[in-house]
């Protein structure tokens, strides 16, 4: 007797018009994809994250919370019955490969295509015994993309250092970095996508400011090479490395490079691969990750975002902290044309990552903050990403704060959690392709927050404590008056979409605000 089949929801793209896609003609086209499983003890796992800060090993995570091995074996057999290859099991993930025709037959879905892009036109059908135990499938489409979150100044009159942008010491002084901490013994992983760097660029940057060159390792997740920073978009990897290294100079830096998506590669799958690779990396053992990419959450299948969050949740269990840029399109949130409504960025919407928003920062001649406001659109050059997720529910750590839910939307995870200078008009000095330039965006704020967390972890280790790991609940449980600059002026309206206002306490533009690092280190240690 054949098992009853049911729809597995969350695999369609809300922003795409199905009528624009015609049925695929070349079904032999091969692609990789993944089946992502839930924990077999979801309730216990959530309780542990909420109330138990002890760190597990990767083996313990799988032993205590991994999917049922018998279920995995049964799923393997079912998924491969029409020729799909199971490449390997990797914890909560089965990595798969097959032709679009084989996938159509396996999941009983039609694929549509447009301009070389493909996606399912209907939700997959899976056995009734499997449906409750999977997050879903990732890689069934190659339409969704993530974009780097950096921008250039258009009004340079407020740039520091006579138009050169902020230098490392400016940021360390403004945000009160403790001089006694440098990130020694910690490792920061930077997730990059077809985005290389030139070692000479980053060394020149550090040498210019008298910073001992940090140790930088390059790791290819899927065979994507380091192109040595020859393309314009390689600025992202370069600024991530330069500023993370400047703020925590004795931390190790690991660049995890994955494919940015092509005609036969799903970017959504590349992100999952990069996250899972970093999670599994026992050679470099990253303690902190930073992601400077994103797009509005309606640009991705819900199952994809939930799969990313599943890896982030597992990372929290082993003591890893993940930061992600909240986006530079304000409350509009989308890269390019789209519906003029509020969109929260993904993966910044993940409740198990720390989302980093942006501010506009002005200093006096002594390096002290004169004014810091939410990054507000005044010249059509971006605003701090933020808002209320329509995908993820309110996490426990946000239940005690008033979330600003607009009419027509439902309550959900609030974004961002924290902030840091990001307005390109008060941007940062970066050395790229042999030249100095100035860059802003939440993509700079995220790696700096990763570096701050290296200092926090260094202090914790010196005190004989474990890594801070799942940082979100702790950020919401400390005294914010002594640890953050509360940002109360500004908004993130952008591109015709009315956004949110900065308010006392948490807000959907800057979260809790920008850090007073020396106090934050003490409070979180």
């Amino acid at each position: 007797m054949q098992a009853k089949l049911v729809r597995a929801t969350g695999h369609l793209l809300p922003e795409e018009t199905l009528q624009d896609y015609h049925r695929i003609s070349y079904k032999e086209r091969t692609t990789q994809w993944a089946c992502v499983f839930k924990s077999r003890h979801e309730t216990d796992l959530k309780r542990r994250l909420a109330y138990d800060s002890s760190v597990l090993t990767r083996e313990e995570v799988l032993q205590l919370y991994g999917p049922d091995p018998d279920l995995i074996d049964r799923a393997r057999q079912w998924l491969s019955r029409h020729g799909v290859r199971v490449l390997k099991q990797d914890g909560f993930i089965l990595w798969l490969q097959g032709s679009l025709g084989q996938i159509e037959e396996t999941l009983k879905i039609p694929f549509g295509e447009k301009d070389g892009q493909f996606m399912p036109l209907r939700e997959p059908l899976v056995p009734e015994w499997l449906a409750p135990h999977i997050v879903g499938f990732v890689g069934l489409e190659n339409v969704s993309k993530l974009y780097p979150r950096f921008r250039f100044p258009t009004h340079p009159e407020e740039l520091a250092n006579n138009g050169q942008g902020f230098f490392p010491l400016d940021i360390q002084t403004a945000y009160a970095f403790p001089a006694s901490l440098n990130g020694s013994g910690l490792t920061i992983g930077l997730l990059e996508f077809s985005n290389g760097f030139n070692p000479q660029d980053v060394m020149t940057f550090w040498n210019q400011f008298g910073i001992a060159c940090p140790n930088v390792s390059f790791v290819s997740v899927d065979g994507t090479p380091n192109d040595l920073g020859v393309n314009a978009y390689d600025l992202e990897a370069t600024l991530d490395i330069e500023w993370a290294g400047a703020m925590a100079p004795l931390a190790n830096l690991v660049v995890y490079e994955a494919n940015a998506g092509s005609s036969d590669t799903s970017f959504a799958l590349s992100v999952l691969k990069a996250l899972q690779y970093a999670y599994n990396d026992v050679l470099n053992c990253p303690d902190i990750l930073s992601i400077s990419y994103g797009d509005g959450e309606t640009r991705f299948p819900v199952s994809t975002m939930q799969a990313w969050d599943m890896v982030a949740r597992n990372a929290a269990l082993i003591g890893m902290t993940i930061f992600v840029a909240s986006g530079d399109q304000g409350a509009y949130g989308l890269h390019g044309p789209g519906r003029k409504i509020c969109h929260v960025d993904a993966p910044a919407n993940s409740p198990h990552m720390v989302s980093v928003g942006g501010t506009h920062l002005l200093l006096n001649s002594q390096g002290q903050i004169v004014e810091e406001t939410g990054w507000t659109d005044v010249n059509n050059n971006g605003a701090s990403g933020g808002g209320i997720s329509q995908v993820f529910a309110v996490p426990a750590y946000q239940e005690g704060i008033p979330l600003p839910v607009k009419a027509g939307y439902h309550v959900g995870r609030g974004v961002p959690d924290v902030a840091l200078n990001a307005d390109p008009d008060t941007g940062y000095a970066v050395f790229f392709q042999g030249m100095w330039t100035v860059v802003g965006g939440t993509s700079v704020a995220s790696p700096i927050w990763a570096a701050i967390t290296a200092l926090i972890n260094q202090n914790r280790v010196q005190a004989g404590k474990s890594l801070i790991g799942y940082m979100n609940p702790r950020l919401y449980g400390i005294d914010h008056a002594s640890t953050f600059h509360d940002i109360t002026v500004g908004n993130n309206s952008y591109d015709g979409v009315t956004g949110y206002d900065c308010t006392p306490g948490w807000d959907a533009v800057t979260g809790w605000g920008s850090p007073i690092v020396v106090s934050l280190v003490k409070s979180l240690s």
Side-chain angles (χ1 to χ4, degrees), residues 190-203:
L190 304 169
L191 269 58
E192 309 291 347
F193 300 93
S194 296
N195 206 298
F197 69 98
N198 186 332
Q200 192 61 46
D201 280 345
V202 299
M203 286 190 290

Side-chain angles (χ1 to χ4, degrees), residues 288-356:
I288 307 145
L289 301 180
S290 178
I291 305 170
S292 293
Y293 298 75
D295 201 356
E297 64 182 6
T298 58
R299 289 272 169 86
F300 304 98
V302 169
S303 59
T304 289
M305 294 180 280
Q306 291 172 335
W308 296 341
D309 183 62
M310 181 278 297
V311 182
R313 187 174 69 172
N314 288 351
L317 290 170
I318 66 169
M320 190 183 293
T321 311
I322 304 179
F323 291 88
V324 58
S326 75
D328 299 352
Q329 271 78 27
Y332 171 56
L334 295 181
H335 187 98
R339 292 182 63 199
K340 298 296 183 180
I341 60 172
C342 291
H343 302 83
V344 168
D345 252 37
N349 58 353
S350 166
H352 296 95
M353 301 183 193
V354 182
S355 175
V356 184

Side-chain angles (χ1 to χ4, degrees), residues 388-453:
I388 305 298
S389 174
Q390 300 299 284
V391 171
F392 291 103
V394 179
Y397 56 81
Q398 288 189 327
E399 287 177 351
I401 61 175
L403 295 167
V405 182
K406 293 180 178 289
Y409 298 78
H410 60 76
V411 69
R413 190 265 203 264
V415 173
D417 300 301
V418 295
L420 203 111
N421 178 57
D423 188 339
D425 290 337
T426 57
Y428 299 80
V430 172
F431 193 79
F432 178 60
Q433 294 182 343
M435 298 174 59
W436 289 97
T437 187
V438 179
V439 178
T442 52
S443 65
V444 196
S446 180
I448 293 178
W449 260 99
I452 291 169
T453 305

